Amino acid sequence: TKFSDQTMSKIQHTVLFKFPDLDEASENKDEMDMIVKKFDSLEGISAKFAKGEGSDGWTHCLFVIADTSEALKAYLHHDYHLKEWMNAVKPFGKGIIVFDSELAEENFRQPIFHFVFSVAKCTHCPKATVKPHLGSDFLASVNWPDKAGGFTYLLSAAFPDSATHKSFVESSDYASWLSSCTSPLVSFSCSF
């Protein structure tokens, strides 16, 4: 069957990077930030980029919300992404995960995000949303390769402050959820 986003509110395009050698005070990082601002100028696209804390050496997150699959496709194939962004990140990239799902957190204005990538659906997790990868039909509709690294589900949670985030990560609900998941897992937290 062909992919259709008629019933989907928005698309969450979550990208993790391993940039161990990227200096946050460098011109390279400034260039990346400026390109992300260009992404925001594209119709139907909202983008954020930040350094965070992740397992297994994941250091940065590009978080894009697209109003439609057509908007995401236009972003993916735009020169801002294909030429400017790819050229800016290429020297630093030691790994990438790209995960497309239905928007999991409607309140994109919350400053702190927590993500966990999983290879299998886990139990319900309070104060978080677990969404499946949109899959090969979706990727074909936007003409983009699968870079999900085998991950099939993404937990997303957003928090107003670090104390609320810490409380979530240290909660028995979260610990129980993690123990219900099949390894491997990748977790990542950042502030936008």
Side-chain angles (χ1 to χ4, degrees), residues 1-14 64 66-70 72 76 98-104 131-142 146 148 151-154:
T1 59
K2 292 272 189 191
F3 172 81
S4 170
D5 61 1
Q6 292 176 354
T7 60
M8 205 179 318
S9 57
K10 294 186 180 191
I11 297 166
Q12 178 175 322
H13 181 76
T14 309
V64 178
D67 290 345
T68 64
S69 60
E70 291 82 12
L72 185 64
L76 290 169
V98 181
F99 197 95
D100 294 302
S101 61
E102 185 175 357
L103 180 61
K131 296 284 186 176
H133 187 264
L134 289 176
S136 59
D137 287 342
F138 172 77
L139 292 172
S141 77
V142 296
D146 186 349
F151 295 105
T152 56
Y153 285 87
L154 174 63

Side-chain angles (χ1 to χ4, degrees), residues 115-135:
F115 303 109
V116 179
F117 297 81
S118 170
V119 296
K121 187 172 184 179
C122 307
T123 60
H124 169 73
C125 185
K127 299 181 183 172
T129 307
V130 179
K131 296 284 186 176
H133 187 264
L134 289 176

Side-chain angles (χ1 to χ4, degrees), residues 38-52:
K38 289 181 179 183
F39 294 161
D40 273 338
S41 73
L42 299 174
E43 186 174 340
I45 296 294
S46 298
K48 306 278 185 200
F49 178 62
K51 182 176 174 67

Side-chain angles (χ1 to χ4, degrees), residues 46-89:
S46 298
K48 306 278 185 200
F49 178 62
K51 182 176 174 67
E53 295 181 21
S55 60
D56 301 325
W58 298 101
T59 61
H60 289 77
C61 180
L62 175 64
F63 188 71
V64 178
I65 294 177
D67 290 345
T68 64
S69 60
E70 291 82 12
L72 185 64
K73 183 176 182 177
Y75 150 79
L76 290 169
H77 297 280
H78 197 282
D79 283 351
Y80 293 159
H81 182 252
L82 285 179
K83 292 183 180 176
E84 294 182 38
W85 179 255
M86 297 290 195
N87 286 336
V89 301

